[in-house]
Amino acid sequence: MTENGSHTEKVIEVRGLKTQFGDTVIHENLDLDVHQGEILGVVGGSGTGKSVLMRAIIGLKRPSAGSIRVFGVDYLEADEETRLGVERRWGVLFQAGALFSSLTVAQNVMAPIMEHLHPPRALAVDIAAMKISMAGLPADAGAKYPAELSGGMQKRAALARALALDPELLFLDEPTAGLDPIGAAKFDELIVNLKRSLGLTVFMVTHDLDTLHAACDRVAVLAEKRVIACGSICEVRANPHPWIQEYFGGVRGRAALASKGVGADAARQEAQ
């Protein structure tokens, strides 16, 4: 979605999605669009399948029904070569980082570069150094192992790896989970800056209300096995669904709203 609110090309189109584990149905008849150049935040209560939805879109969880189109390609029905072509156009940051503990940060970032592009090693080293810098890490972080990094630095190292192949689409699963408020705010700022400078589209699973206000262009709410609301923060907050009202209208929701200076006076009055 552009800054003036007009719709752009759909990078992700999910229709009629059903996912389940055994007899337990997680999603049913779920529809969702992600537009080019936006940061979409996906929220929902525990067990609503936020991460499962992301894993279904990137092919790690085969849905029982429905369709998923990414960059216009029917990802579920595409052949292996076509799927690989689509996958090279996205990057993924998993919730726990999923860095290879036996590899340095630089080697972690180089792994997808060497696997998919097969460049000379010296070039891969230079590319990895550039991605590490883009993720906001100091140059000497590349020689360190994940266990030698703080939680915030591990997140940035995982982000550097997600950016390794110059993706157009970035998937982030709870990127600020476990970070202190200052670290989380800096990470939000980094994502927004990367989106603007690189023209990224971002699919972000999060529970962080501050992140929703600071970084997201739209918010999709999962409940009742589907997307029950999707729109700007203001549009979603106006939805009368009980979970939405409790989530955005609770003490933390009002504090997040006030901290961004959006309707701060009203939020303070409501809190009193």
Side-chain angles (χ1 to χ4, degrees), residues 26-43:
I26 308 300
H27 306 125
E28 190 158 28
N29 200 29
L30 183 151
D31 296 339
L32 180 65
D33 291 330
V34 182
H35 300 282
Q36 185 179 39
E38 75 172 349
I39 299 178
L40 177 75
V42 179
V43 302

Side-chain angles (χ1 to χ4, degrees), residues 110 113-114 117-127:
M110 287 170 59
I113 297 171
M114 298 301 294
L117 303 180
H118 312 292
R121 183 172 179 81
L123 177 57
V125 169
D126 289 343
I127 295 173

Side-chain angles (χ1 to χ4, degrees), residues 103-164:
L103 301 181
T104 65
V105 170
Q107 290 169 339
N108 266 279
V109 178
M110 287 170 59
I113 297 171
M114 298 301 294
E115 179 180 356
H116 292 282
L117 303 180
H118 312 292
R121 183 172 179 81
L123 177 57
V125 169
D126 289 343
I127 295 173
M130 180 180 65
K131 302 302 180 180
I132 289 168
S133 176
M134 288 173 59
L137 288 171
D140 62 0
K144 296 181 178 180
Y145 291 89
E148 299 176 303
L149 304 178
S150 67
M153 292 180 73
Q154 288 182 16
K155 295 278 189 181
R156 289 174 182 264
L159 176 62
R161 188 177 62 181
L163 295 170

Side-chain angles (χ1 to χ4, degrees), residues 60-127:
L60 296 181
K61 169 63 180 174
R62 182 80 182 184
S64 302
S67 66
I68 298 171
R69 300 185 71 86
V70 184
F71 299 118
V73 174
D74 188 334
Y75 186 73
L76 298 178
E77 300 300 325
D79 57 43
E80 183 176 0
E81 183 177 357
T82 302
R83 286 199 302 272
L84 284 173
V86 171
E87 290 168 7
R88 290 190 188 102
R89 299 173 67 183
W90 72 47
V92 184
L93 190 160
F94 294 100
Q95 185 171 348
L99 295 167
F100 298 115
S101 60
S102 61
L103 301 181
T104 65
V105 170
Q107 290 169 339
N108 266 279
V109 178
M110 287 170 59
I113 297 171
M114 298 301 294
E115 179 180 356
H116 292 282
L117 303 180
H118 312 292
R121 183 172 179 81
L123 177 57
V125 169
D126 289 343
I127 295 173

